[in-house]
């Protein structure tokens, strides 16, 4: 079986039976005082639809009757066993006797009928209600801007939105003692004071409202309803707009405070920037100053390099290098001589002790002289105070001292060997393996009077042309004999 159009439309856009049943629980506190006054009294639901409200009335203890013109809606009520019949709501009211009902309700029926018929419906309801009886009319809330301009017109059977002030005035004008506005189905988050944005202002107002009008009754009857009539229900457009304005104002204040803070930070940054610019300017100035100073120093250094004193210093450095080469050559010769001495005294234990002592003393003297020659004061001032010949004499001084020490050592060693024939024989056998060394030692012994020279028929020319070293030794021996004779 196909579902009629209007019932299918209600199922999609009004909501499920369970949702509507839950929403309508808000009216139960208004039913309890009526049940105290009129137990099991009658109630009429105009335009009962799918019967959600009829079910609540039955649960509460009323004897309700539902009236509707839509067959599809009535089928839903009959399927649940709810008392409902097909008929015109206004005609049904007109057929009822005076003060025969305790409650008349109409959920989303007022917007479906012309306003003149609505005035008649309200007047007839006042007639059929018992004293202190209630009229409940629920309708879409045009105060919700989205509802009033869009969703209201989804239902093709709607006439026009009815402002709550108009419906409330109609009930009072028709003779009801008092009326109460209930705004309904608003967002729980907004109702609890949540944040409000622009869409909340446009669509957050309670989408439905109800006017509950009460017929005049005895004072003690009316008092039973004072508590529920005194409460506030739902969210109005004014409330949300004021909350939005307050929230926006608070945000603007915070924004202003942030702006002030940012301005202060900006001013501070600008001040620091000015300081950095001044520091940079000073740094550039200092850089130019030191650059000029560096250029001046380069010119001064160039002039110093070209000066006579610098050239003299370079010549002095060259002398130092030459003297170093000469010293190295002399040291090489000295090393050769020391090697011969070591070979001569290899087997002499007592002679080694004496030789070690005098060689250590000679090395210490040489180190002391070398330290003196390498000192800063000697290297700088010596060329300025002495001549080149004096400087050369000072460089050769260590060699002369070393020669004297070694000569003394050789003289003592040779005397020591000559005084011991057995030792002399052994050393002669060994040293004759080195002819040059043997010749040198024999000439040395003869020159210093250790042994007598054997008559050898040689000419002076043959000695001078033998070798440079033999010629030098011959000249030294000849000079020594001449000096001895002069004494």
């Amino acid at each position: 079986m196909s579902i009629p159009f209007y019932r299918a439309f209600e199922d999609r856009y009004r909501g499920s039976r369970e949702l509507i049943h839950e929403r309508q629980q808000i009216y139960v506190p208004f039913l309890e005082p009526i049940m105290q006054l009129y137990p099991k009294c009658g109630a009429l639901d105009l335009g009962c639809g799918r019967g959600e409200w009829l079910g609540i009335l039955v649960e509460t203890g009323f004897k309700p009757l539902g009236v509707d013109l839509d067959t599809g809606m009535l089928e839903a009520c009959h399927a649940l066993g709810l008392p409902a019949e097909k008929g015109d709501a206004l005609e049904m009211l007109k057929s009822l006797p005076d003060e025969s009902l305790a409650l008349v309700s109409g959920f989303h029926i007022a917007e479906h009928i012309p306003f003149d018929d609505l005035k008649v419906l309200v007047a007839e309801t006042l007639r059929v209600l018992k004293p202190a009886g209630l009229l409940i009319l629920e309708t879409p809330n045009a105060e919700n801007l989205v509802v009033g301009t869009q969703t209201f017109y989804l239902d093709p059977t709607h006439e026009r939105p009815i402002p709550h002030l108009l419906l409330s005035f109609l009930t009072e004008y028709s003779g009801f003692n008092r009326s109460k506005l209930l705004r309904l189905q608003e967002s729980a988050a907004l109702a609890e004071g949540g944040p409000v944005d622009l869409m909340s202002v446009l669509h957050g107002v309670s989408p439905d409202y109800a006017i509950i009008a009460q017929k005049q009754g005895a004072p003690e009857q009316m008092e039973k309803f004072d508590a529920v009539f005194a409460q506030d229900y739902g969210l109005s457009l004014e409330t949300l707009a004021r909350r939005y304005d307050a929230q926006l104002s608070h945000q603007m204040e915070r924004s202003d405070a942030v702006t002030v803070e940012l301005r202060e930070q900006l001013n501070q940054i600008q001040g620091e920037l000015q300081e950095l610019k001044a520091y940079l300017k000073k740094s550039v100035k200092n850089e130019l100053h030191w650059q000029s100073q560096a250029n001046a120093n380069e010119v001064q250094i160039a002039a110093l390099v070209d000066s006579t004193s610098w050239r003299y210093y370079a010549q002095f450095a060259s002398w130092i290098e030459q003297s170093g080469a000469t010293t190295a050559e002399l040291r090489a010769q000295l090393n050769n001589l020391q090697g011969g001495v070591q070979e001569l005294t290899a087997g002499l234990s007592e002679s080694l002790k004496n030789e070690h002592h005098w060689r250590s003393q000679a090395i210490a003297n040489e180190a002391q002289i070398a330290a003196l020659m390498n000192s800063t004061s000697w290297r700088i001032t010596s060329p300025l105070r002495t001549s080149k010949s004096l400087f050369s004499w000072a460089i050769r001084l260590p060699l002369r001292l070393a020669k004297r020490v070694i000569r003394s050592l050789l003289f003592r060693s040779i005397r020591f060997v000559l005084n011991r024939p057995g030792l002399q024989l052994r050393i002669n056998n060994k040293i004759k393996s080195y002819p040059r060394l043997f010749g040198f030692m024999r000439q040395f012994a003869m020159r210093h009077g250790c042994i007598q020279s054997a008559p050898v028929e040689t000419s002076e020319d043959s000695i001078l042309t033998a070798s440079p070293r033999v010629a030098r030794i011959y000249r030294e021996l000849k000079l020594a004999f001449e000096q001895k004779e002069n004494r």
Side-chain angles (χ1 to χ4, degrees):
M1 181 179 66
S2 63
I3 300 176
F5 172 81
Y6 198 72
R7 179 182 169 186
F9 179 82
E10 286 278 315
D11 289 343
R12 171 173 294 189
Y13 290 104
R14 179 161 171 76
S16 65
R17 288 184 54 86
E18 292 75 12
L19 176 64
I20 301 304
H21 183 274
E22 180 182 356
R23 288 178 175 178
Q24 290 178 340
Q25 294 298 318
I26 193 172
Y27 300 108
V28 172
F30 289 89
L31 301 181
E32 294 173 354
I34 295 178
M35 291 299 300
Q36 295 176 10
L37 295 176
Y38 307 107
K40 297 185 178 181
C41 58
L44 178 64
D45 185 24
L46 306 176
C48 62
R50 295 174 301 185
E52 295 91 351
W53 180 241
L54 287 175
I56 293 176
L57 292 177
V58 171
E59 294 170 1
T60 308
F62 282 85
K63 293 182 178 181
L65 175 64
V67 179
D68 204 297
L69 290 173
D70 191 281
T71 303
M73 297 294 186
L74 292 174
E75 289 177 353
C77 293
H78 295 158
L80 296 174
L82 297 174
E85 61 183 46
K86 186 175 182 179
D88 181 77
L90 188 55
E91 293 300 326
M92 177 64 72
L93 277 173
K94 290 180 179 180
S95 65
L96 294 175
D98 296 348
E99 299 184 356
S100 58
L101 299 174
L103 175 68
V104 176
S105 57
F107 291 89
H108 292 267
I109 187 176
E111 67 272 17
H112 288 267
I113 62 178
F115 188 72
D116 289 339
D117 291 343
L118 181 60
K119 290 192 293 182
V120 175
L121 185 148
V122 173
E124 287 296 320
T125 299
L126 180 66
R127 180 184 64 81
V128 300
L129 284 177
K130 294 179 180 295
L134 297 179
L135 167 64
I136 301 176
L137 291 176
E138 183 180 302
T139 186
N141 186 11
E143 190 181 16
N144 184 308
L145 299 179
V146 174
V147 172
T149 59
Q150 182 178 355
T151 60
F152 179 86
Y153 297 100
L154 286 176
D155 192 334
T157 63
H158 284 177
E159 289 283 333
R160 65 181 61 83
I162 304 174
H164 67 85
L165 292 176
L166 174 60
L167 190 56
S168 178
F169 175 78
L170 176 60
T171 59
E172 294 176 4
Y173 176 80
S174 300
F176 282 88
N177 178 260
R178 60 180 174 180
S179 64
K180 180 64 179 179
L181 170 65
L182 279 69
R183 293 184 175 89
L184 307 168
Q185 286 87 55
E186 65 280 347
S187 165
L190 288 176
E192 294 173 0
V196 180
D197 55 15
L198 182 58
M199 193 60 191
S200 299
V201 177
L202 298 176
H203 193 42
V205 178
S206 301
D208 292 331
Y209 77 89
I211 294 294
I212 300 181
Q214 188 174 28
K215 185 176 180 178
Q216 180 65 51
E220 60 274 14
Q221 292 177 325
M222 303 295 286
E223 289 178 0
K224 294 182 180 293
F225 297 85
D226 288 345
V228 291
F229 271 84
Q231 294 184 26
D232 292 327
Y233 301 86
L235 292 174
S236 67
L237 177 61
E238 180 181 2
T239 299
L240 285 181
R242 290 186 181 278
R243 282 171 56 182
Y244 178 75
D245 288 343
Q247 181 177 297
L248 186 61
S249 176
H250 177 67
Q251 292 176 351
M252 292 179 65
E253 290 177 358
R254 290 182 58 187
S255 177
D256 292 341
V258 172
T259 302
V260 171
E261 183 178 355
L262 290 177
R263 287 184 183 277
E264 292 177 355
Q265 293 179 0
L266 179 61
N267 292 334
Q268 182 179 358
I269 292 174
Q270 288 177 345
E272 294 176 354
L273 182 60
Q274 293 297 329
E275 292 180 0
L276 288 176
K277 287 182 178 179
Y279 180 76
L280 178 61
K281 184 177 180 181
K282 183 178 180 180
S283 298
V284 171
K285 184 178 179 181
N286 291 337
E287 181 181 359
L288 294 175
H289 168 73
W290 290 113
Q291 185 176 4
S292 301
Q293 187 66 32
N295 293 334
N297 290 341
E298 289 180 359
V299 173
Q300 186 176 359
I301 291 171
L304 179 61
V305 170
D306 295 335
S307 65
T308 304
S309 59
W310 180 265
R311 290 196 300 272
Y312 182 79
Y313 179 77
Q315 183 179 3
F316 173 71
S318 176
W319 291 349
I320 292 294
E321 293 179 359
Q322 294 176 3
S323 65
T326 303
T327 302
E329 182 180 357
L330 294 176
R331 286 180 179 175
Q333 296 178 5
L334 179 60
N335 290 334
N336 292 332
L337 185 59
Q338 288 176 346
V341 173
Q342 289 176 358
E343 292 177 1
L344 178 63
T345 59
L348 306 176
S349 59
E350 295 180 5
S351 176
L352 285 174
K353 295 180 181 180
N354 294 331
E355 186 272 336
H356 178 72
H357 168 74
W358 291 109
R359 187 174 62 175
S360 299
Q361 186 66 35
I363 293 174
N365 293 337
E366 183 180 1
Q368 184 177 2
I369 293 170
L372 177 61
M373 291 173 62
N374 292 328
S375 65
T376 303
S377 59
W378 180 267
R379 290 199 306 269
I380 295 176
T381 61
S382 178
L384 303 178
R385 299 193 306 268
T386 63
S387 64
K388 183 176 182 181
S389 60
L390 181 59
F391 176 76
S392 299
W393 178 85
I395 292 299
R396 292 188 177 89
L397 180 59
L399 181 59
R400 293 173 181 174
L401 294 176
K403 285 182 177 181
R404 290 181 181 180
V405 172
I406 293 173
R407 285 171 184 165
S408 176
L409 178 61
L410 286 175
F411 178 78
R412 291 170 183 263
S413 300
I414 291 171
R415 292 292 297 270
F416 177 80
V417 172
L418 293 176
N419 292 331
R420 292 165 175 78
L423 180 60
Q424 178 181 0
L425 181 61
R426 290 195 301 271
I427 290 179
N428 283 338
N429 292 333
K430 290 183 179 181
I431 201 170
K432 284 181 180 180
S433 300
Y434 305 93
R436 296 183 64 182
L437 179 60
F438 178 78
F440 169 77
M441 297 301 298
R442 192 170 187 281
Q443 291 292 334
F444 182 85
M446 292 171 58
R447 187 169 62 246
H448 289 82
C450 296
I451 60 175
Q452 296 296 325
S453 59
V456 181
E457 294 182 359
T458 58
S459 64
E460 183 175 355
D461 293 337
S462 62
I463 294 175
L464 293 177
T465 57
S467 68
R469 189 171 182 180
V470 173
R472 180 174 59 79
I473 295 173
Y474 174 75
R475 285 194 296 268
E476 290 179 357
L477 288 173
K478 184 178 180 181
L479 179 61
F481 283 119
E482 290 177 354
Q483 291 177 353
K484 187 176 183 181
E485 291 175 358
N486 292 334
R487 291 177 184 174

PDB file of all heavy atoms in Angstrom, residues 41-56:
ATOM      1  N   CYS A  41     -10.816  13.193  32.579  1.00  0.00           N
ATOM      2  CA  CYS A  41     -11.665  14.113  31.833  1.00  0.00           C
ATOM      3  C   CYS A  41     -11.416  13.968  30.348  1.00  0.00           C
ATOM      4  O   CYS A  41     -10.439  13.368  29.923  1.00  0.00           O
ATOM      5  CB  CYS A  41     -11.411  15.545  32.280  1.00  0.00           C
ATOM      6  SG  CYS A  41      -9.689  16.039  32.062  1.00  0.00           S
ATOM      7  N   GLY A  42     -12.268  14.564  29.514  1.00  0.00           N
ATOM      8  CA  GLY A  42     -12.148  14.473  28.080  1.00  0.00           C
ATOM      9  C   GLY A  42     -11.150  15.496  27.524  1.00  0.00           C
ATOM     10  O   GLY A  42     -10.952  16.577  28.083  1.00  0.00           O
ATOM     11  N   ALA A  43     -10.557  15.147  26.380  1.00  0.00           N
ATOM     12  CA  ALA A  43      -9.610  16.034  25.700  1.00  0.00           C
ATOM     13  C   ALA A  43      -9.772  15.829  24.199  1.00  0.00           C
ATOM     14  O   ALA A  43     -10.040  14.720  23.730  1.00  0.00           O
ATOM     15  CB  ALA A  43      -8.187  15.732  26.115  1.00  0.00           C
ATOM     16  N   LEU A  44      -9.641  16.905  23.450  1.00  0.00           N
ATOM     17  CA  LEU A  44      -9.798  16.866  22.001  1.00  0.00           C
ATOM     18  C   LEU A  44      -8.498  17.383  21.360  1.00  0.00           C
ATOM     19  O   LEU A  44      -8.047  18.474  21.681  1.00  0.00           O
ATOM     20  CB  LEU A  44     -10.982  17.734  21.574  1.00  0.00           C
ATOM     21  CG  LEU A  44     -11.237  17.816  20.073  1.00  0.00           C
ATOM     22  CD1 LEU A  44     -11.613  16.450  19.500  1.00  0.00           C
ATOM     23  CD2 LEU A  44     -12.347  18.836  19.779  1.00  0.00           C
ATOM     24  N   ASP A  45      -7.949  16.550  20.429  1.00  0.00           N
ATOM     25  CA  ASP A  45      -6.737  16.950  19.701  1.00  0.00           C
ATOM     26  C   ASP A  45      -7.123  17.223  18.256  1.00  0.00           C
ATOM     27  O   ASP A  45      -7.483  16.303  17.510  1.00  0.00           O
ATOM     28  CB  ASP A  45      -5.690  15.834  19.785  1.00  0.00           C
ATOM     29  CG  ASP A  45      -4.358  16.252  19.156  1.00  0.00           C
ATOM     30  OD1 ASP A  45      -4.092  17.482  19.086  1.00  0.00           O
ATOM     31  OD2 ASP A  45      -3.582  15.361  18.744  1.00  0.00           O
ATOM     32  N   LEU A  46      -7.076  18.506  17.857  1.00  0.00           N
ATOM     33  CA  LEU A  46      -7.463  18.934  16.518  1.00  0.00           C
ATOM     34  C   LEU A  46      -6.281  18.723  15.561  1.00  0.00           C
ATOM     35  O   LEU A  46      -5.170  19.146  15.838  1.00  0.00           O
ATOM     36  CB  LEU A  46      -7.858  20.412  16.540  1.00  0.00           C
ATOM     37  CG  LEU A  46      -8.948  20.800  17.556  1.00  0.00           C
ATOM     38  CD1 LEU A  46      -9.162  22.312  17.546  1.00  0.00           C
ATOM     39  CD2 LEU A  46     -10.240  20.060  17.263  1.00  0.00           C
ATOM     40  N   GLY A  47      -6.546  18.073  14.413  1.00  0.00           N
ATOM     41  CA  GLY A  47      -5.453  17.770  13.478  1.00  0.00           C
ATOM     42  C   GLY A  47      -4.465  16.823  14.129  1.00  0.00           C
ATOM     43  O   GLY A  47      -3.260  17.112  14.188  1.00  0.00           O
ATOM     44  N   CYS A  48      -4.930  15.673  14.583  1.00  0.00           N
ATOM     45  CA  CYS A  48      -4.117  14.775  15.416  1.00  0.00           C
ATOM     46  C   CYS A  48      -2.946  14.157  14.671  1.00  0.00           C
ATOM     47  O   CYS A  48      -2.021  13.639  15.292  1.00  0.00           O
ATOM     48  CB  CYS A  48      -5.012  13.684  15.992  1.00  0.00           C
ATOM     49  SG  CYS A  48      -5.779  12.635  14.721  1.00  0.00           S
ATOM     50  N   GLY A  49      -2.953  14.151  13.316  1.00  0.00           N
ATOM     51  CA  GLY A  49      -1.831  13.627  12.562  1.00  0.00           C
ATOM     52  C   GLY A  49      -1.552  12.166  12.837  1.00  0.00           C
ATOM     53  O   GLY A  49      -2.476  11.347  12.854  1.00  0.00           O
ATOM     54  N   ARG A  50      -0.280  11.817  13.112  1.00  0.00           N
ATOM     55  CA  ARG A  50       0.099  10.413  13.326  1.00  0.00           C
ATOM     56  C   ARG A  50      -0.212   9.942  14.743  1.00  0.00           C
ATOM     57  O   ARG A  50       0.032   8.794  15.083  1.00  0.00           O
ATOM     58  CB  ARG A  50       1.588  10.235  13.057  1.00  0.00           C
ATOM     59  CG  ARG A  50       1.964  10.486  11.613  1.00  0.00           C
ATOM     60  CD  ARG A  50       3.452  10.447  11.398  1.00  0.00           C
ATOM     61  NE  ARG A  50       4.162  11.434  12.208  1.00  0.00           N
ATOM     62  CZ  ARG A  50       5.476  11.670  12.122  1.00  0.00           C
ATOM     63  NH1 ARG A  50       6.203  10.979  11.255  1.00  0.00           N
ATOM     64  NH2 ARG A  50       6.041  12.576  12.878  1.00  0.00           N
ATOM     65  N   GLY A  51      -0.691  10.888  15.631  1.00  0.00           N
ATOM     66  CA  GLY A  51      -1.169  10.495  16.949  1.00  0.00           C
ATOM     67  C   GLY A  51      -0.129  10.504  18.055  1.00  0.00           C
ATOM     68  O   GLY A  51      -0.348   9.883  19.107  1.00  0.00           O
ATOM     69  N   GLU A  52       0.979  11.233  17.906  1.00  0.00           N
ATOM     70  CA  GLU A  52       1.998  11.260  18.964  1.00  0.00           C
ATOM     71  C   GLU A  52       1.402  11.829  20.262  1.00  0.00           C
ATOM     72  O   GLU A  52       1.616  11.281  21.358  1.00  0.00           O
ATOM     73  CB  GLU A  52       3.205  12.098  18.533  1.00  0.00           C
ATOM     74  CG  GLU A  52       3.986  11.558  17.362  1.00  0.00           C
ATOM     75  CD  GLU A  52       3.499  12.092  16.027  1.00  0.00           C
ATOM     76  OE1 GLU A  52       2.440  12.753  16.022  1.00  0.00           O
ATOM     77  OE2 GLU A  52       4.169  11.869  15.004  1.00  0.00           O
ATOM     78  N   TRP A  53       0.651  12.931  20.141  1.00  0.00           N
ATOM     79  CA  TRP A  53       0.093  13.586  21.328  1.00  0.00           C
ATOM     80  C   TRP A  53      -1.032  12.753  21.934  1.00  0.00           C
ATOM     81  O   TRP A  53      -1.194  12.705  23.147  1.00  0.00           O
ATOM     82  CB  TRP A  53      -0.399  14.983  20.945  1.00  0.00           C
ATOM     83  CG  TRP A  53      -1.007  15.764  22.084  1.00  0.00           C
ATOM     84  CD1 TRP A  53      -2.279  16.225  22.163  1.00  0.00           C
ATOM     85  CD2 TRP A  53      -0.386  16.186  23.294  1.00  0.00           C
ATOM     86  NE1 TRP A  53      -2.519  16.906  23.324  1.00  0.00           N
ATOM     87  CE2 TRP A  53      -1.338  16.901  24.048  1.00  0.00           C
ATOM     88  CE3 TRP A  53       0.900  16.032  23.816  1.00  0.00           C
ATOM     89  CZ2 TRP A  53      -1.072  17.459  25.302  1.00  0.00           C
ATOM     90  CZ3 TRP A  53       1.152  16.591  25.070  1.00  0.00           C
ATOM     91  CH2 TRP A  53       0.198  17.295  25.796  1.00  0.00           C
ATOM     92  N   LEU A  54      -1.796  12.083  21.068  1.00  0.00           N
ATOM     93  CA  LEU A  54      -2.863  11.202  21.583  1.00  0.00           C
ATOM     94  C   LEU A  54      -2.260  10.126  22.484  1.00  0.00           C
ATOM     95  O   LEU A  54      -2.822   9.770  23.529  1.00  0.00           O
ATOM     96  CB  LEU A  54      -3.619  10.547  20.431  1.00  0.00           C
ATOM     97  CG  LEU A  54      -4.569  11.440  19.639  1.00  0.00           C
ATOM     98  CD1 LEU A  54      -5.164  10.681  18.461  1.00  0.00           C
ATOM     99  CD2 LEU A  54      -5.678  11.998  20.530  1.00  0.00           C
ATOM    100  N   GLY A  55      -1.101   9.585  22.094  1.00  0.00           N
ATOM    101  CA  GLY A  55      -0.452   8.573  22.914  1.00  0.00           C
ATOM    102  C   GLY A  55      -0.072   9.108  24.277  1.00  0.00           C
ATOM    103  O   GLY A  55      -0.219   8.417  25.299  1.00  0.00           O
ATOM    104  N   ILE A  56       0.435  10.358  24.342  1.00  0.00           N
ATOM    105  CA  ILE A  56       0.814  10.949  25.638  1.00  0.00           C
ATOM    106  C   ILE A  56      -0.429  11.161  26.503  1.00  0.00           C
ATOM    107  O   ILE A  56      -0.407  10.917  27.721  1.00  0.00           O
ATOM    108  CB  ILE A  56       1.559  12.275  25.408  1.00  0.00           C
ATOM    109  CG1 ILE A  56       2.925  12.000  24.729  1.00  0.00           C
ATOM    110  CG2 ILE A  56       1.767  13.030  26.722  1.00  0.00           C
ATOM    111  CD1 ILE A  56       3.692  13.247  24.374  1.00  0.00           C
TER     112      ILE A  56
END
